[in-house]
Amino acid sequence: MSTENTMSADIENGPTVLDGKATAKAVRADVAVGAARLTELGRAPGLTVVLVGDDPASQVYVRSKDKAATEAGFVVNTIRLGADAPQSEIEAAVDSLNADDSVDGILVQLPLPKGLDSDAVIERIDPGKDVDGLTATSVARLAMGRDGMVPCTPAGCVEILNRHGIDLSGKDVVVIGRSQLVGKPFAQLALARNATVTICHSRTRDLAAHCRNADVIVAAVGVAKLVQGDWVKPGAVVLDVGINRGEDGKLVGDVDYAAAATRASAITPVPGGIGPMTIAMLLSNTLRASALRQGIELAG
Ligand code: NAD
């Protein structure tokens, strides 16, 4: 889809719903093909997750990552450490995974329990195995426009746009949120794709005005329905990264979906938008890390 040519038609017919579930499924199928090739020519990609403590949300995330990676043909392991594990034990676990040739991707599930220094743990990960793209080396490579590991959620935002033919070149992109995990890396990716990028945050004076000028809005805040329908320029593309619990207990994004959908040309729902893309991109990053480490070229 070309956002410029089909803009008015899209609004009349309702927006293109950017279906993260279906798109992630397609990404995972491609990854499975790549993993089968690596298995044939070398060995299956290896992903190890380090899970510290018993945070229920983290357990759920780790289970879904394990399931998706296993289905894609990866060798998946989880190292579980108690909530009282000292910093040195977690760092030693990362060191041993760095040294293990069968491990291509290391993922430390965040947040770590209080009192632990997650920056120091992340920084210990071999950048070649940093499939979450969080080490200083990965961050610097992204900022410099060099090849490297890109954090999974912003990579998922770009992938869903790519797979729907939405080009960022020349577009005015407003990113709401400046986190290390989503906002900042997405802004770098958009800049590298020749967008004109504005990063808004909690101290931005007139968020609505910035949004009203945007061709693309990416909301990564964590405030339910922050982005109002009338902040969306007719024909704009809206990516909603936020995951919040509404008053009724249901998941809602950072965008008032029903109102925004009456004006947007394309929009991601919550749930079923960027969430599923995040896990798919973890698999994609791990596949790439494995191919590079094994010296095997994959098509595409
Ligand atoms: P964060 O808390 O680290 O950052 C939030 C950002 O929003 C900050 O930069 C802050 O300045 C900005 N902000 C806060 N209030 C604001 C306001 N009123 N107006 C404008 N900006 C404001 O959060 P994060 O880790 O980037 O996550 C953001 C949201 O995305 C959360 O809801 C999180 O659950 C969700 N998330 C989803 C996925 C996924 O896979 N879909 C992955 C990561 C995060």
Side-chain angles (χ1 to χ4, degrees), residues 14-157:
T16 300
V17 177
L18 303 172
D19 181 343
K21 256 190 177 168
T23 312
K25 197 173 167 195
V27 172
R28 294 205 313 265
D30 290 348
V31 168
V33 170
R37 184 167 159 80
L38 291 189
T39 306
E40 190 189 324
L41 300 177
R43 55 171 179 74
L47 173 68
T48 299
V49 181
V50 178
L51 176 60
V52 186
D54 41 25
D55 175 57
S58 292
Q59 313 254 7
V60 172
Y61 288 136
V62 167
R63 265 202 302 277
S64 21
K65 287 168 187 173
D66 187 319
K67 182 167 175 276
T70 305
E71 278 171 14
F74 292 14
V75 174
V76 196
N77 285 299
T78 303
I79 295 181
R80 289 168 198 278
L81 300 172
D84 55 355
Q87 181 85 19
S88 57
E89 190 180 346
I90 303 164
E91 292 185 5
V94 171
D95 290 347
S96 73
L97 296 173
N98 283 337
D100 184 340
D101 238 8
S102 69
V103 174
D104 300 302
I106 302 170
L107 190 151
V108 176
Q109 183 64 40
L110 299 175
L112 293 177
K114 280 207 176 70
L116 293 168
D117 180 351
S118 40
D119 287 348
V121 172
I122 296 297
E123 221 33 69
R124 261 188 126 85
I125 297 172
D126 173 346
K129 301 186 179 190
D130 174 26
V131 287
D132 248 349
L134 296 179
T135 60
T137 302
S138 298
V139 173
R141 294 189 79 86
L142 178 60
M144 295 167 91
R146 294 197 190 155
D147 239 9
M149 293 295 169
V150 175
C152 303
T153 301
C157 293

Side-chain angles (χ1 to χ4, degrees), residues 153 176-179 181-183 200-203 207 220-223 226 241-244 254 274-275 278:
T153 301
I176 319 173
R178 56 178 160 181
S179 73
L181 201 61
V182 190
C200 298
H201 46 76
S202 51
R203 304 282 180 93
L207 182 59
V221 183
V223 176
L226 173 71
V241 178
I243 301 177
N244 313 288
D254 290 344
I274 301 302
T278 297

